[in-house]
Amino acid sequence: MSIKNDAVEMLARDLARRHGTGVTEIIHRALKEKAERDAAGPTLWEKLRPLHEKLRALPDSGPAPDRDFYDELSGERR
């Protein structure tokens, strides 16, 4: 693997040095930990599902707004 981002390479080398391991191993650990966190937690859709269901349950708020509605809101009523 070739890291083409200087900041990423510096971070990987620094972490590897602090953990007493090689760059490949530290990248492997970081990717594995991230994959495990992602697999353990709910997806974004799962997190937003209660909100989505609550919004879907709300009654219709009335007719769809038209140009007159927006003109009235902005004070540009003709």
Side-chain angles (χ1 to χ4, degrees):
M1 177 192 284
S2 173
I3 300 173
K4 294 176 175 60
N5 181 305
D6 292 340
V8 172
E9 183 174 359
M10 190 172 14
L11 180 59
R13 289 189 184 284
D14 181 53
L15 282 171
R17 181 185 49 76
R18 288 191 290 151
H19 287 266
T21 188
V23 172
T24 301
E25 177 61 23
I26 207 68
I27 291 171
H28 177 254
R29 286 182 194 174
L31 291 173
K32 184 177 177 187
E33 288 174 13
K34 173 64 173 147
E36 288 170 354
R37 283 193 310 271
D38 285 355
T43 65
L44 178 58
W45 176 248
E46 291 168 339
K47 290 177 185 177
L48 292 175
R49 187 176 321 219
L51 176 60
H52 181 253
E53 290 172 359
K54 184 177 179 180
L55 290 173
R56 285 184 52 190
L58 291 174
D60 188 9
S61 63
D66 58 9
R67 183 177 176 104
D68 288 337
F69 171 80
Y70 289 110
D71 285 348
E72 185 176 336
L73 283 178
S74 65
E76 297 178 14
R77 183 113 194 194
R78 296 182 253 164

Coordinates of all heavy atoms in Angstrom, one line a residue:
M1 N 0.9 -1.2 0.0 CA 0.0 0.0 0.0 C 0.9 1.2 0.0 O 1.9 1.3 0.7 CB -0.9 0.0 1.2 CG -1.7 1.3 1.3 SD -2.6 1.5 2.9 CE -3.9 0.3 2.8
S2 N 0.5 2.2 -0.8 CA 1.2 3.4 -0.8 C 0.3 4.6 -0.4 O -0.7 4.8 -0.9 CB 1.7 3.7 -2.3 OG 2.3 5.0 -2.4
I3 N 0.8 5.2 0.7 CA 0.0 6.3 1.2 C 0.5 7.6 0.5 O 1.6 8.0 0.6 CB 0.2 6.5 2.8 CG1 -0.3 5.2 3.4 CG2 -0.6 7.7 3.3 CD1 0.0 5.1 4.9
K4 N -0.5 8.3 -0.1 CA -0.1 9.5 -0.9 C -0.5 10.8 -0.2 O -0.5 11.8 -0.8 CB -0.8 9.4 -2.3 CG -0.3 8.2 -3.1 CD -1.0 8.1 -4.4 CE -0.4 7.0 -5.3 NZ -0.4 5.7 -4.8
N5 N -0.9 10.7 1.0 CA -1.3 11.8 1.8 C -0.3 12.0 2.9 O -0.2 11.1 3.8 CB -2.7 11.7 2.3 CG -3.2 12.9 3.1 OD1 -2.5 13.3 4.1 ND2 -4.3 13.4 2.7
D6 N 0.5 13.1 2.9 CA 1.6 13.2 3.9 C 1.0 13.2 5.3 O 1.7 12.6 6.2 CB 2.3 14.5 3.7 CG 3.2 14.5 2.4 OD1 3.5 13.3 1.9 OD2 3.5 15.5 1.8
A7 N -0.1 13.9 5.6 CA -0.6 13.9 6.9 C -1.1 12.5 7.4 O -0.8 12.2 8.6 CB -1.8 14.9 7.0
V8 N -1.6 11.7 6.5 CA -2.1 10.4 6.9 C -0.8 9.5 7.2 O -0.8 8.8 8.2 CB -2.9 9.7 5.8 CG1 -3.2 8.3 6.1 CG2 -4.2 10.5 5.6
E9 N 0.2 9.6 6.3 CA 1.4 8.9 6.5 C 2.1 9.2 7.9 O 2.5 8.4 8.6 CB 2.4 9.1 5.4 CG 3.6 8.2 5.5 CD 4.5 8.3 4.3 OE1 4.2 9.0 3.4 OE2 5.6 7.6 4.4
M10 N 2.1 10.5 8.2 CA 2.7 11.0 9.4 C 2.0 10.4 10.6 O 2.6 10.0 11.6 CB 2.8 12.5 9.4 CG 3.6 13.0 10.6 SD 4.0 14.8 10.6 CE 2.8 15.5 9.5
L11 N 0.7 10.5 10.5 CA -0.2 10.0 11.6 C 0.0 8.5 11.8 O 0.2 8.0 12.9 CB -1.7 10.3 11.3 CG -2.7 9.8 12.4 CD1 -2.4 10.4 13.7 CD2 -4.1 10.1 11.9
A12 N 0.1 7.7 10.7 CA 0.3 6.3 10.8 C 1.6 6.0 11.4 O 1.7 5.1 12.2 CB 0.1 5.7 9.4
R13 N 2.6 6.7 10.9 CA 4.0 6.4 11.4 C 4.1 6.8 12.9 O 4.7 6.1 13.7 CB 5.0 7.2 10.6 CG 5.2 6.6 9.2 CD 6.4 7.3 8.5 NE 6.5 6.8 7.2 CZ 6.9 5.6 6.8 NH1 7.3 4.7 7.7 NH2 6.9 5.2 5.5
D14 N 3.5 7.9 13.3 CA 3.5 8.3 14.7 C 2.8 7.3 15.6 O 3.3 6.9 16.7 CB 2.8 9.7 14.9 CG 2.9 10.1 16.3 OD1 3.9 10.2 16.9 OD2 1.8 10.5 16.8
L15 N 1.6 6.8 15.2 CA 0.9 5.8 15.9 C 1.6 4.5 16.0 O 1.7 3.8 17.1 CB -0.5 5.5 15.3 CG -1.6 6.6 15.6 CD1 -2.8 6.3 14.8 CD2 -1.9 6.6 17.1
A16 N 2.2 4.1 14.9 CA 3.0 2.9 14.9 C 4.2 3.0 15.8 O 4.5 2.0 16.6 CB 3.5 2.6 13.5
R17 N 4.9 4.1 15.9 CA 6.0 4.3 16.8 C 5.6 4.2 18.2 O 6.2 3.5 19.0 CB 6.7 5.6 16.5 CG 7.9 5.9 17.4 CD 8.4 7.3 17.1 NE 7.4 8.4 17.1 CZ 6.9 8.9 18.3 NH1 7.2 8.4 19.4 NH2 6.0 9.9 18.2
R18 N 4.4 4.9 18.5 CA 3.9 4.9 19.9 C 3.5 3.6 20.4 O 3.5 3.3 21.6 CB 2.8 6.0 20.1 CG 3.4 7.4 20.0 CD 2.4 8.4 20.4 NE 1.3 8.6 19.4 CZ 0.1 8.9 19.7 NH1 -0.3 9.2 20.9 NH2 -0.8 9.0 18.7
H19 N 3.0 2.8 19.4 CA 2.5 1.4 19.8 C 3.5 0.4 19.6 O 3.3 -0.8 19.9 CB 1.2 1.1 19.0 CG 0.0 1.8 19.4 ND1 -0.9 1.3 20.3 CD2 -0.4 3.1 19.1 CE1 -1.8 2.2 20.6 NE2 -1.6 3.3 19.8
G20 N 4.7 0.7 19.2 CA 5.8 -0.2 19.0 C 5.5 -1.3 17.9 O 5.9 -2.4 18.1
T21 N 4.9 -0.8 16.8 CA 4.6 -1.8 15.8 C 4.9 -1.1 14.4 O 5.2 0.0 14.3 CB 3.1 -2.2 15.9 OG1 2.9 -3.3 15.0 CG2 2.2 -1.1 15.7
G22 N 4.6 -1.9 13.3 CA 4.8 -1.3 12.0 C 3.6 -0.5 11.5 O 2.5 -0.7 12.1
V23 N 3.8 0.2 10.4 CA 2.8 1.0 9.9 C 1.6 0.1 9.3 O 0.5 0.4 9.6 CB 3.3 1.9 8.7 CG1 2.2 2.6 8.0 CG2 4.3 2.9 9.3
T24 N 2.0 -1.0 8.7 CA 1.0 -1.9 8.2 C 0.1 -2.4 9.3 O -1.1 -2.5 9.2 CB 1.6 -3.1 7.4 OG1 2.4 -2.5 6.3 CG2 0.6 -4.0 6.8
E25 N 0.7 -2.8 10.4 CA 0.0 -3.4 11.5 C -0.9 -2.3 12.1 O -2.1 -2.6 12.5 CB 0.9 -4.0 12.6 CG 0.2 -4.5 13.8 CD -0.7 -5.6 13.6 OE1 -0.6 -6.3 12.6 OE2 -1.6 -5.8 14.4
I26 N -0.4 -1.1 12.3 CA -1.3 -0.1 12.9 C -2.4 0.3 12.0 O -3.5 0.5 12.5 CB -0.4 1.2 13.3 CG1 -1.0 1.9 14.5 CG2 -0.2 2.1 12.2 CD1 -1.0 1.2 15.8
I27 N -2.2 0.3 10.7 CA -3.3 0.6 9.8 C -4.4 -0.6 9.9 O -5.6 -0.4 9.9 CB -2.8 0.8 8.3 CG1 -2.0 2.1 8.3 CG2 -4.0 0.7 7.3 CD1 -1.3 2.3 6.9
H28 N -3.9 -1.8 9.9 CA -4.7 -3.0 10.1 C -5.6 -2.9 11.3 O -6.8 -3.1 11.3 CB -3.9 -4.3 10.1 CG -4.7 -5.5 10.3 ND1 -4.7 -6.2 11.5 CD2 -5.6 -6.1 9.5 CE1 -5.6 -7.2 11.4 NE2 -6.1 -7.2 10.2
R29 N -5.0 -2.6 12.4 CA -5.7 -2.4 13.7 C -6.8 -1.3 13.6 O -7.9 -1.5 14.0 CB -4.7 -2.1 14.8 CG -3.9 -3.2 15.3 CD -3.0 -2.7 16.5 NE -1.9 -3.7 16.8 CZ -1.0 -3.4 17.6 NH1 -1.0 -2.3 18.3 NH2 -0.1 -4.3 17.9
A30 N -6.4 -0.2 13.0 CA -7.3 0.9 13.0 C -8.5 0.6 12.1 O -9.7 0.9 12.4 CB -6.6 2.2 12.4
L31 N -8.3 -0.1 10.9 CA -9.4 -0.4 10.1 C -10.2 -1.5 10.7 O -11.5 -1.5 10.6 CB -8.8 -0.9 8.7 CG -8.1 0.2 7.9 CD1 -7.5 -0.5 6.7 CD2 -9.1 1.2 7.4
K32 N -9.6 -2.4 11.4 CA -10.4 -3.5 12.0 C -11.3 -2.9 13.1 O -12.4 -3.3 13.3 CB -9.4 -4.6 12.6 CG -10.1 -5.7 13.2 CD -9.1 -6.8 13.7 CE -9.9 -7.9 14.4 NZ -9.0 -8.9 15.0
E33 N -10.7 -2.0 14.0 CA -11.5 -1.4 15.0 C -12.6 -0.6 14.5 O -13.8 -0.6 15.0 CB -10.6 -0.5 15.9 CG -9.6 -1.2 16.8 CD -8.6 -0.3 17.5 OE1 -8.9 0.9 17.5 OE2 -7.7 -0.9 18.0
K34 N -12.4 0.1 13.4 CA -13.5 0.9 12.8 C -14.6 0.0 12.2 O -15.8 0.3 12.4 CB -12.9 1.8 11.6 CG -13.9 2.6 10.8 CD -14.7 3.6 11.6 CE -15.5 4.4 10.7 NZ -16.8 4.8 11.3
A35 N -14.2 -1.1 11.6 CA -15.2 -2.0 11.0 C -16.0 -2.6 12.1 O -17.2 -2.8 12.0 CB -14.4 -3.1 10.2
E36 N -15.4 -2.9 13.3 CA -16.1 -3.5 14.4 C -17.1 -2.5 15.0 O -18.2 -2.9 15.4 CB -15.1 -4.0 15.5 CG -14.3 -5.3 15.0 CD -13.2 -5.6 16.0 OE1 -12.9 -4.8 16.9 OE2 -12.6 -6.7 15.7
R37 N -16.6 -1.3 15.1 CA -17.6 -0.2 15.6 C -18.7 0.0 14.7 O -19.9 0.1 15.1 CB -16.8 1.1 15.8 CG -15.9 1.2 17.0 CD -15.5 2.6 17.3 NE -14.9 3.3 16.2 CZ -13.6 3.3 15.8 NH1 -12.8 2.6 16.5 NH2 -13.2 4.0 14.8
D38 N -18.5 0.0 13.4 CA -19.6 0.2 12.4 C -20.5 -1.0 12.5 O -21.7 -0.8 12.4 CB -19.0 0.3 11.0 CG -18.4 1.7 10.7 OD1 -18.5 2.5 11.6 OD2 -17.8 1.8 9.6
A39 N -20.0 -2.2 12.6 CA -20.9 -3.4 12.7 C -21.7 -3.5 14.0 O -22.8 -4.0 14.0 CB -20.0 -4.6 12.5
A40 N -21.1 -2.9 15.0 CA -21.8 -3.0 16.3 C -22.9 -2.0 16.5 O -23.9 -2.3 17.2 CB -20.8 -2.9 17.5
G41 N -22.8 -0.9 15.9 CA -23.8 0.2 16.1 C -24.9 0.2 15.0 O -24.8 -0.4 14.0
P42 N -26.0 0.8 15.4 CA -27.1 0.9 14.4 C -26.7 1.8 13.2 O -25.8 2.7 13.3 CB -28.2 1.6 15.2 CG -27.5 2.3 16.3 CD -26.3 1.6 16.6
T43 N -27.3 1.6 12.1 CA -27.0 2.4 10.9 C -27.7 3.7 11.1 O -28.5 3.9 12.0 CB -27.6 1.7 9.6 OG1 -29.0 1.7 9.7 CG2 -27.0 0.3 9.4
L44 N -27.3 4.7 10.2 CA -27.9 6.0 10.3 C -29.4 5.9 10.1 O -30.2 6.5 10.8 CB -27.3 6.9 9.3 CG -27.9 8.3 9.2 CD1 -27.8 9.1 10.5 CD2 -27.3 9.1 8.1
W45 N -29.9 5.1 9.2 CA -31.3 4.9 8.9 C -32.0 4.3 10.2 O -33.1 4.8 10.6 CB -31.6 4.0 7.8 CG -33.0 3.7 7.6 CD1 -33.7 2.5 7.7 CD2 -34.0 4.6 7.2 NE1 -35.0 2.7 7.5 CE2 -35.3 4.0 7.2 CE3 -34.0 6.0 6.9 CZ2 -36.5 4.6 6.9 CZ3 -35.2 6.6 6.6 CH2 -36.4 5.9 6.6
E46 N -31.3 3.4 10.9 CA -31.9 2.8 12.1 C -32.0 3.9 13.2 O -33.0 3.9 14.0 CB -31.1 1.6 12.6 CG -31.2 0.4 11.7 CD -30.2 -0.7 11.9 OE1 -29.2 -0.4 12.5 OE2 -30.4 -1.8 11.5
K47 N -31.0 4.8 13.3 CA -31.1 5.8 14.2 C -32.2 6.8 13.9 O -32.8 7.4 14.8 CB -29.7 6.6 14.3 CG -28.6 5.8 14.8 CD -27.3 6.6 14.7 CE -26.1 5.8 15.2 NZ -24.9 6.6 15.0
L48 N -32.4 7.1 12.7 CA -33.4 8.1 12.3 C -34.8 7.5 12.2 O -35.8 8.3 12.0 CB -33.0 8.7 10.9 CG -31.8 9.6 11.0 CD1 -31.4 10.0 9.6 CD2 -32.0 10.8 11.9
R49 N -35.0 6.2 12.2 CA -36.3 5.6 12.0 C -37.4 6.1 13.0 O -38.5 6.5 12.5 CB -36.2 4.1 12.1 CG -37.5 3.4 11.8 CD -37.3 1.9 11.8 NE -36.0 1.6 11.3 CZ -35.8 0.6 10.5 NH1 -36.7 -0.3 10.2 NH2 -34.6 0.3 10.0
P50 N -37.1 6.3 14.3 CA -38.1 6.8 15.2 C -38.6 8.2 14.8 O -39.8 8.5 14.8 CB -37.5 6.8 16.6 CG -36.4 5.8 16.5 CD -35.9 5.9 15.1
L51 N -37.7 9.0 14.4 CA -38.0 10.4 13.9 C -38.9 10.3 12.6 O -39.9 11.0 12.5 CB -36.8 11.2 13.7 CG -37.0 12.6 13.1 CD1 -37.9 13.4 14.0 CD2 -35.7 13.3 12.8
H52 N -38.5 9.5 11.7 CA -39.2 9.3 10.5 C -40.6 8.8 10.7 O -41.6 9.3 10.2 CB -38.5 8.3 9.6 CG -39.1 8.1 8.2 ND1 -39.8 7.0 7.9 CD2 -39.2 8.9 7.2 CE1 -40.3 7.1 6.7 NE2 -39.9 8.2 6.2
E53 N -40.8 7.8 11.6 CA -42.1 7.3 11.9 C -43.0 8.4 12.6 O -44.2 8.5 12.4 CB -42.0 6.1 12.8 CG -41.4 4.9 12.0 CD -41.1 3.7 12.9 OE1 -41.3 3.8 14.1 OE2 -40.7 2.7 12.3
K54 N -42.4 9.2 13.5 CA -43.1 10.3 14.2 C -43.6 11.3 13.2 O -44.7 11.8 13.2 CB -42.2 10.9 15.2 CG -42.9 12.0 16.1 CD -41.9 12.5 17.1 CE -42.6 13.6 18.0 NZ -41.7 14.1 19.0
L55 N -42.7 11.7 12.2 CA -43.1 12.7 11.2 C -44.2 12.1 10.3 O -45.1 12.9 9.9 CB -41.9 13.1 10.4 CG -40.9 13.9 11.2 CD1 -39.6 14.1 10.3 CD2 -41.5 15.2 11.6
R56 N -44.1 10.9 10.0 CA -45.1 10.3 9.1 C -46.5 10.2 9.8 O -47.5 10.2 9.1 CB -44.7 8.9 8.7 CG -43.6 8.9 7.6 CD -43.3 7.5 7.1 NE -44.5 6.8 6.7 CZ -44.5 5.5 6.4 NH1 -43.4 4.8 6.5 NH2 -45.7 4.9 6.1
A57 N -46.5 10.1 11.1 CA -47.7 10.0 11.8 C -48.4 11.3 12.0 O -49.6 11.4 12.4 CB -47.5 9.4 13.2
L58 N -47.8 12.4 11.8 CA -48.4 13.7 11.9 C -49.5 13.9 10.9 O -49.3 13.5 9.8 CB -47.3 14.8 11.8 CG -46.3 14.9 12.9 CD1 -45.2 16.0 12.5 CD2 -46.9 15.3 14.2
P59 N -50.5 14.7 11.3 CA -51.6 14.9 10.3 C -51.1 15.9 9.2 O -50.1 16.6 9.4 CB -52.7 15.6 11.1 CG -52.0 16.1 12.3 CD -50.8 15.3 12.5
D60 N -51.8 15.8 8.0 CA -51.5 16.7 6.9 C -51.7 18.2 7.5 O -52.6 18.4 8.2 CB -52.4 16.4 5.8 CG -52.0 17.2 4.5 OD1 -50.9 17.9 4.5 OD2 -52.8 17.2 3.6
S61 N -50.8 19.0 7.1 CA -50.8 20.4 7.6 C -51.7 21.3 6.8 O -51.8 22.5 7.1 CB -49.4 21.0 7.8 OG -48.8 21.1 6.5
G62 N -52.3 20.8 5.7 CA -53.1 21.7 4.9 C -52.7 21.7 3.5 O -51.9 20.8 3.0
P63 N -53.3 22.6 2.7 CA -53.0 22.6 1.3 C -51.5 22.9 1.0 O -50.8 23.6 1.8 CB -53.9 23.7 0.7 CG -54.2 24.5 1.9 CD -54.2 23.6 3.1
A64 N -51.0 22.4 -0.1 CA -49.6 22.7 -0.5 C -49.5 24.2 -0.7 O -50.3 24.9 -1.3 CB -49.3 22.0 -1.8
P65 N -48.4 24.8 -0.2 CA -48.1 26.2 -0.4 C -48.0 26.6 -1.9 O -47.4 25.8 -2.7 CB -46.9 26.5 0.4 CG -46.2 25.2 0.5 CD -47.3 24.1 0.4
D66 N -48.4 27.8 -2.3 CA -48.3 28.2 -3.6 C -47.6 29.6 -3.6 O -47.1 30.1 -2.6 CB -49.7 28.3 -4.3 CG -50.6 29.2 -3.6 OD1 -50.2 29.9 -2.6 OD2 -51.8 29.3 -4.0
R67 N -47.5 30.2 -4.7 CA -46.8 31.5 -4.8 C -47.4 32.6 -3.9 O -46.7 33.3 -3.3 CB -46.8 32.0 -6.3 CG -46.0 33.3 -6.4 CD -45.9 33.7 -7.8 NE -45.2 35.0 -7.9 CZ -43.9 35.2 -8.3 NH1 -43.2 34.1 -8.7 NH2 -43.4 36.4 -8.2
D68 N -48.7 32.6 -3.8 CA -49.4 33.6 -2.9 C -48.9 33.4 -1.5 O -48.7 34.4 -0.8 CB -50.9 33.5 -3.1 CG -51.4 34.1 -4.4 OD1 -50.7 34.9 -5.0 OD2 -52.5 33.7 -4.8
F69 N -48.8 32.2 -1.1 CA -48.4 31.9 0.3 C -47.0 32.4 0.6 O -46.8 33.1 1.6 CB -48.4 30.3 0.5 CG -47.8 29.9 1.8 CD1 -48.5 30.0 3.0 CD2 -46.5 29.4 1.8 CE1 -48.0 29.6 4.2 CE2 -46.0 29.0 3.0 CZ -46.7 29.1 4.2
Y70 N -46.1 32.2 -0.3 CA -44.7 32.7 -0.1 C -44.6 34.2 -0.3 O -43.9 34.8 0.5 CB -43.7 32.0 -1.1 CG -43.5 30.5 -0.7 CD1 -44.0 29.5 -1.6 CD2 -42.9 30.2 0.4 CE1 -43.8 28.2 -1.2 CE2 -42.7 28.8 0.8 CZ -43.2 27.8 -0.1 OH -43.0 26.5 0.3
D71 N -45.4 34.7 -1.2 CA -45.5 36.2 -1.3 C -46.0 36.8 0.0 O -45.4 37.9 0.5 CB -46.3 36.6 -2.5 CG -45.7 36.4 -3.8 OD1 -44.5 36.1 -3.8 OD2 -46.4 36.5 -4.8
E72 N -47.0 36.3 0.6 CA -47.5 36.8 1.9 C -46.5 36.7 3.0 O -46.3 37.6 3.8 CB -48.8 36.0 2.3 CG -49.4 36.6 3.5 CD -50.8 35.9 3.8 OE1 -51.4 35.3 2.9 OE2 -51.1 36.0 5.0
L73 N -45.8 35.6 3.0 CA -44.7 35.4 4.1 C -43.6 36.4 3.9 O -43.1 36.9 4.9 CB -44.1 34.0 4.0 CG -44.9 32.9 4.5 CD1 -44.1 31.6 4.3 CD2 -45.1 33.0 6.0
S74 N -43.3 36.8 2.7 CA -42.1 37.7 2.5 C -42.6 39.1 2.4 O -41.8 40.0 2.3 CB -41.4 37.3 1.2 OG -42.3 37.5 0.1
G75 N -43.9 39.4 2.5 CA -44.4 40.8 2.5 C -44.5 41.3 1.1 O -44.6 42.5 0.9
E76 N -44.5 40.5 0.1 CA -44.6 40.9 -1.3 C -46.0 40.6 -1.9 O -46.1 40.5 -3.0 CB -43.5 40.2 -2.1 CG -42.1 40.5 -1.7 CD -41.1 39.8 -2.5 OE1 -41.4 39.2 -3.6 OE2 -39.9 39.7 -2.1
R77 N -46.9 40.6 -1.0 CA -48.3 40.3 -1.5 C -48.8 41.4 -2.5 O -48.6 42.5 -2.2 CB -49.3 40.3 -0.3 CG -50.7 39.9 -0.6 CD -51.0 38.6 -0.1 NE -52.2 38.1 -0.7 CZ -52.8 37.1 -0.2 NH1 -52.4 36.5 0.9 NH2 -53.9 36.7 -0.7
R78 N -49.3 40.9 -3.6 CA -49.7 41.8 -4.6 C -51.1 42.3 -4.5 O -52.0 41.8 -3.9 CB -49.6 41.1 -6.0 CG -48.2 40.8 -6.3 CD -48.1 40.2 -7.6 NE -47.8 38.8 -7.4 CZ -47.9 37.8 -8.3 NH1 -48.3 38.1 -9.5 NH2 -47.6 36.6 -8.1

